[in-house]
Amino acid sequence: MRTVALSLSLTLTLGLTACGGPSGVHATPGSAGVGDPYFPKSGNGGYDVTHYDLTLAYTPDTSDASDTSETRDSAAAPTLTATATITARATTPLSTFDLDFQGMKVNSLTVDGKMASWTRSGQELKVRPPAALRKGRTFRTTVRYSGTPETITDPDGSDEGWLPTADGALALGEPTGSMAWFPGNDHPSDKATYDITITVPKGLQAVSNGELRSETTTGTARATTYSWHTPQPMATYLATVAIGHYDITRTTTRNGLPVYVAVDPQEAAASRKVLAKLPEIMEWEEYNFGPYPFSSTGAIVDRGGDAGYALETQNRPFFPGAPDTATLVHELAHQWYGDSVTPKTWRDMWLNEGFATYAEWLWAEDHDGDTAQQTFDALYKGTYFDDKADDDAVWAFPPATPTSAAHISDSPVYERGAMVLHKIRRTVGDARFYDIIQGWAATHRHGNANTADFTAYVEKMAPTKDFTEIWKNWLYGHGKPARP
Ligand code: TRP
Ligand code: ZN
């Protein structure tokens, strides 16, 4: 009896020790990824971020540009000194957990105010808190870091992360760029609210997501601090910071939504006419997609050479140079489809790009351009693009399953994704179609969804219709479907 009891308590004690103490029974390391089929290292297991508080101080590279000596890079002043405080809830007992963070230098790290040790390997910053974290516990990780953030090259060859611009810098995060400028759970499935505070040398401006809470210049420090607040959940890839000289226009839409537009002075003249349409586009999109999901809107326009693409950064889409109307319609449509209803994994990209592309077709149809049917027909006939290779590329793979990470922004995701939506519209009719796209945005507002959620939703909304052929041939099928 006694012997049994002894050995039992001994086992228990050993078990607790191995699991990191009483608070962490069975605590184990959080995984280094969330299992994304295209970006296996993106995100991390075992916790859910609720809020990011980022305080960034940016100093332009003050080294002499004419100095081409070998030592120039290492001698250049750091461009970013930052503190990130990440509030998260443990979803499993954690002995260690990872953050995604690529490059820069970590200077210190605490968990709930206590020094924590860390190791780094590639994009994984592994944190060992002083005591294990029990499941359900809310904990705060503070990372102090500095250095020059990296520009990351995507699998498709485009640049993201931290991009130096003609007069400042720009942070763009799709799909994995946020980890270049702040540590976090860099995957679309974990959305959080944000406070982003940026201090820049006086004379420069700093624009970010959400609403500008304050702008303060201290005479002695010769610096200006901009504090931005994002009260609705945001995926890491949609977070942005744009530093430079901007013409700022602050207005409100007819229903009182704040509009904050920042335009590089060199792009101001070319942008004026199209940006004047922003309120009208917002109204048209609210009419078609339902209530706008965020508490402010706007745009950021930098110079053409500053980035190779536009991006639907939350509240304030980014444009490299003056956008055309279709691109403005596209990026604003993403605020509903992508930013509010966010893909569960990078495989579900067509839920972003198919919708935003279809928004362009609908805009054209409603504004004396081609009908969506004409656009669909041109794509099916292979007369849409200027050259045959582009027309053929539409059929390279099914929208729901891009070939690899290098292809998540190819035309099957955009144009063929839009064709899927048009097929649904033709099957259910206009009234039901608009109910579906509005209902989809309402049902998953500020959340995440995948392709299976979408097909189930469409079937539920139109129970008498048969979508078998659309799903099988258009959404999941390889090659060009036999019939339009
Ligand atoms: N989402 C952007 C748009 O449609 C395009 C884009 C930029 C993109 N970077 C990307 C798409 C990375 C996929 C991956 O305007
Ligand atoms: Zn897009």
Side-chain angles (χ1 to χ4, degrees):
M1 216 29 217
R2 205 184 150 83
T3 321
V4 172
L6 241 178
S7 79
L8 256 180
S9 84
L10 198 71
T11 314
L12 204 64
T13 312
L14 281 172
L16 284 175
T17 310
C19 292
S23 66
V25 183
H26 306 307
T28 53
S31 64
V34 290
D36 190 280
Y38 291 68
F39 294 89
K41 289 181 192 152
S42 292
N44 306 285
Y47 64 92
D48 183 9
V49 177
T50 52
H51 187 73
Y52 290 94
D53 193 324
L54 310 176
T55 305
L56 315 169
Y58 168 81
T59 329
D61 183 348
T62 46
S63 63
D64 182 353
S66 65
D67 176 4
T68 54
S69 71
E70 292 288 306
T71 55
R72 196 198 147 208
D73 273 354
S74 55
T79 59
L80 204 61
T81 306
T83 303
T85 297
I86 303 152
T87 307
R89 198 177 47 81
T91 53
T92 149
L94 289 170
S95 56
T96 68
F97 62 90
D98 281 22
L99 295 166
D100 298 301
F101 196 38
Q102 174 80 44
M104 298 195 68
K105 181 179 184 301
V106 175
N107 300 312
S108 76
L109 203 155
T110 62
V111 175
D112 287 335
K114 298 199 182 81
M115 300 287 268
S117 62
W118 74 88
T119 55
R120 301 189 69 179
S121 168
Q123 75 178 70
E124 301 300 324
L125 167 58
K126 186 178 292 298
V127 181
R128 180 173 292 278
L133 303 165
R134 70 176 157 71
K135 180 178 173 177
R137 155 94 172 269
T138 294
F139 62 101
R140 288 212 214 189
T141 306
T142 298
V143 186
R144 291 178 202 283
Y145 56 102
S146 58
T148 304
E150 287 184 9
T151 301
I152 293 172
T153 302
D154 289 341
D156 73 3
S158 59
D159 282 343
E160 55 161 332
W162 192 262
L163 310 169
T165 61
D167 62 351
L170 171 68
L172 295 179
E174 190 179 27
T176 64
S178 86
M179 64 178 175
W181 62 284
F182 67 93
N185 199 20
D186 193 6
H187 191 265
S189 57
D190 190 3
K191 305 208 279 188
T193 55
Y194 286 69
D195 280 292
I196 302 178
T197 299
I198 315 120
T199 300
V200 294
K202 197 167 148 183
L204 286 183
Q205 285 148 322
V207 185
S208 185
N209 312 92
E211 289 89 57
L212 183 60
R213 279 269 179 86
S214 66
E215 175 183 335
T216 47
T217 300
T218 49
T220 45
R222 292 192 306 239
T224 306
T225 299
Y226 297 84
S227 288
W228 292 88
H229 176 65
T230 297
Q232 295 90 19
M234 176 165 76
T236 50
Y237 79 94
L238 299 168
T240 189
V241 166
I243 297 165
H245 297 287
Y246 297 100
D247 290 346
I248 307 289
T249 311
R250 303 183 73 158
T251 54
T252 50
T253 63
R254 276 202 291 190
N255 43 22
L257 187 71
V259 185
Y260 189 104
V261 174
V263 183
D264 184 300
Q266 288 198 8
E267 299 292 335
S271 304
R272 194 161 293 126
K273 228 174 121 183
V274 62
L275 290 176
K277 291 191 197 172
L278 190 142
E280 179 197 343
I281 296 170
M282 288 288 298
E283 268 180 44
W284 178 85
E285 295 196 345
E286 287 206 81
Y287 178 75
N288 288 291
F289 308 151
Y292 179 66
F294 304 120
S295 42
S296 64
T297 183
I300 301 169
V301 180
D302 253 318
R303 295 181 209 174
D306 290 340
Y309 51 84
L311 188 64
E312 62 267 28
T313 42
Q314 194 155 305
N315 306 91
R316 227 152 263 114
F318 166 84
F319 303 92
D324 56 22
T325 303
T327 307
L328 185 55
V329 167
H330 178 113
E331 303 306 337
L332 290 173
H334 273 309
Q335 303 299 312
W336 283 258
Y337 307 107
D339 296 16
S340 173
V341 184
T342 304
K344 280 183 183 165
T345 77
W346 289 113
R347 181 166 51 206
D348 307 311
M349 264 302 269
W350 83 276
L351 291 173
N352 285 9
E353 303 306 344
F355 272 79
T357 302
Y358 200 63
E360 294 179 53
W361 300 8
L362 290 173
W363 174 271
E365 178 171 299
D366 283 359
H367 295 83
D368 307 318
D370 288 349
T371 63
Q373 185 64 48
Q374 287 170 322
T375 307
F376 179 99
D377 290 342
L379 278 159
Y380 192 80
K381 268 188 252 153
T383 56
Y384 181 78
F385 292 104
D386 292 334
D387 71 88
K388 189 173 176 316
D390 288 341
D391 282 310
D392 289 347
V394 173
W395 313 106
F397 57 82
T401 56
T403 319
S404 70
H407 296 284
I408 60 169
S409 50
D410 288 2
S411 60
V413 173
Y414 284 70
E415 277 76 25
R416 190 169 159 186
M419 293 176 94
V420 170
L421 293 173
H422 189 69
K423 291 283 294 180
I424 296 168
R425 180 179 168 199
R426 273 188 352 202
T427 304
V428 302
D430 277 11
R432 183 62 54 90
F433 178 73
Y434 283 99
D435 285 349
I436 288 173
I437 61 173
Q438 290 192 7
W440 174 247
T443 301
H444 296 284
R445 180 181 167 95
H446 299 158
N448 291 89
N450 64 21
T451 303
D453 295 326
F454 180 70
T455 55
Y457 183 77
V458 172
E459 287 168 4
K460 191 183 97 182
M461 290 289 282
T464 63
K465 304 291 182 190
D466 182 6
F467 299 97
T468 316
E469 194 246 329
I470 302 180
W471 304 156
K472 185 167 160 282
N473 297 335
W474 284 87
L475 187 52
Y476 289 103
H478 290 271
K480 184 174 174 176
R483 285 186 313 278

